[in-house]
Amino acid sequence: MDTIKLSIAVKKELAKISKVAGYLWQREWAERNAGNISMNLTSFFKKEDVQGIGEEVAFDFPKETAGFVLFITGTGCYLRSLIDNIEEAACILYINEEATGYSIVWGGKSEGFGPTCELISHASIHLFNAQNNPTHLAVVHTHPIELIVMSHHPLFNNEEELNRHLWMMCPEIKVFVPKGIHCTPYALSSTSALAKVTIEAFKTRNISLWEKHGATSTGEDVEKAWDYLDVANKGAKLLLTAWGAGFEPAGLSNEQLTELEQFT
Ligand SMILES: [Zn+2]
């Protein structure tokens, strides 16, 4: 199979992805084939680098994603494989100029490889970011334990209150997840319905917490996307730890939370 040569800049991004995949595995946020990672690499390539390489596979993308070059993990692939086998467990694909199909231009070397079944969600988020939040090139979806637990709690039905409960646990949560999490209603995995509700989430919040499933965030690179999830999950873990110890945490006051807004 034809494959392209990667620049040092792209290799650096792939190294960060391998590193974050290791974090996800160690945190038990990426059991079996759970989770997926993608990055919009369009600006890292020239058209002539990626056109005419690999076999085209038909896929119904949103029209405006035509010409996108995306790094994306494979369907059924284990995220922990990204640590030392990224070329097998993930690929870089090029969406054709009509947005009617893609071709894999790098990686995807494992037997029967195909991009994640969440491809439509990832492509839609990258399109949304390209139009509204263009510095955010990376998307991470994973299964953070304590945040998922919170998506089963009655507080999940009151987004404002849920965010206040997370923010009040310690200052860094307000500072580094300033827009908070979105309580994204349950939708079936790999459907365009899930893509749609996720886009709604990113219109107002830093994180989309998929009800009874997992969480998704975006960032300038994969490490920055991971940071949102890591910090938000810390809030959930602190809250659940206090409840588990049998007391209601005092929490930062509304005044103290407002005072922190100067750092966001
Ligand atoms: Zn998931």
Side-chain angles (χ1 to χ4, degrees):
M1 195 178 93
D2 291 345
T3 192
I4 51 171
K5 235 176 115 51
L6 301 181
S7 66
I8 290 169
V10 171
K11 283 183 182 164
K12 267 189 183 167
E13 296 307 319
L14 297 192
K16 288 182 209 170
I17 291 165
S18 294
K19 195 160 85 173
V20 167
Y23 299 160
L24 295 171
W25 171 246
Q26 283 161 11
R27 292 287 280 277
E28 302 180 34
W29 290 8
E31 70 282 0
R32 205 174 181 277
N33 59 330
N36 29 74
I37 296 177
S38 68
M39 185 160 181
N40 186 345
L41 296 174
T42 311
S43 63
F44 291 76
F45 291 95
K46 293 195 209 83
K47 282 258 180 274
E48 55 266 33
D49 295 338
V50 289
Q51 280 179 333
I53 294 173
E55 265 173 57
E56 197 165 283
V57 180
F59 194 91
D60 189 16
F61 289 101
K63 269 273 152 294
E64 304 95 319
T65 62
F68 276 19
V69 179
L70 303 179
F71 166 90
I72 195 153
T73 48
T75 183
C77 289
Y78 291 10
L79 276 202
R80 62 182 188 246
S81 303
L82 298 178
I83 302 167
D84 44 24
N85 258 328
I86 196 165
E87 253 186 291
E88 291 190 7
C91 72
I92 296 174
L93 59 82
Y94 162 65
I95 300 177
N96 71 23
E97 297 301 313
E98 291 77 42
T100 54
Y102 66 83
S103 39
I104 292 173
V105 298
W106 180 88
K109 288 192 170 164
S110 61
E111 189 73 24
F113 180 90
T116 170
C117 54
E118 299 292 357
L119 177 58
I120 186 65
S121 274
H122 283 263
S124 305
I125 297 168
H126 286 300
L127 174 60
F128 174 80
N129 277 346
Q131 294 171 340
N132 300 284
N133 198 7
T135 59
H136 278 211
L137 299 179
V139 176
V140 174
H141 164 64
T142 184
H143 295 174
I145 298 168
E146 288 80 8
L147 281 176
I148 296 174
V149 172
M150 289 311 299
S151 84
H152 290 263
H153 191 274
L155 271 178
F156 189 77
N157 300 316
N158 186 342
E159 194 171 291
E160 280 305 314
E161 268 305 290
L162 177 60
N163 277 302
R164 196 181 64 79
H165 274 77
L166 299 180
W167 285 329
M168 75 176 191
M169 294 310 296
C170 72
E172 68 157 349
I173 298 159
K174 178 70 186 170
V175 173
F176 297 115
V177 192
K179 295 200 272 180
I181 65 165
H182 182 271
C183 299
T184 309
Y186 185 84
L188 195 61
S189 290
S190 68
T191 59
S192 56
L194 184 58
K196 232 172 138 182
V197 289
T198 306
I199 299 298
E200 278 309 305
F202 290 125
K203 288 182 182 169
T204 54
R205 302 290 189 182
N206 301 119
I207 292 171
S208 172
L209 178 54
W210 292 352
E211 185 177 5
K212 299 166 192 157
H213 175 164
T216 304
S217 67
T218 78
E220 286 88 347
D221 61 16
V222 168
E223 284 189 301
K224 298 263 167 41
W226 146 265
D227 283 338
Y228 284 115
L229 297 167
D230 184 31
V231 175
N233 193 73
K234 180 67 164 272
K237 190 167 185 174
L238 292 172
L239 185 61
L240 291 169
T241 304
W243 286 346
F247 71 95
E248 193 63 40
L252 295 163
S253 68
N254 287 341
E255 291 70 34
Q256 287 166 331
L257 288 175
T258 307
E259 187 183 29
L260 288 167
E261 285 173 6
Q262 63 186 300
F263 301 112
T264 65

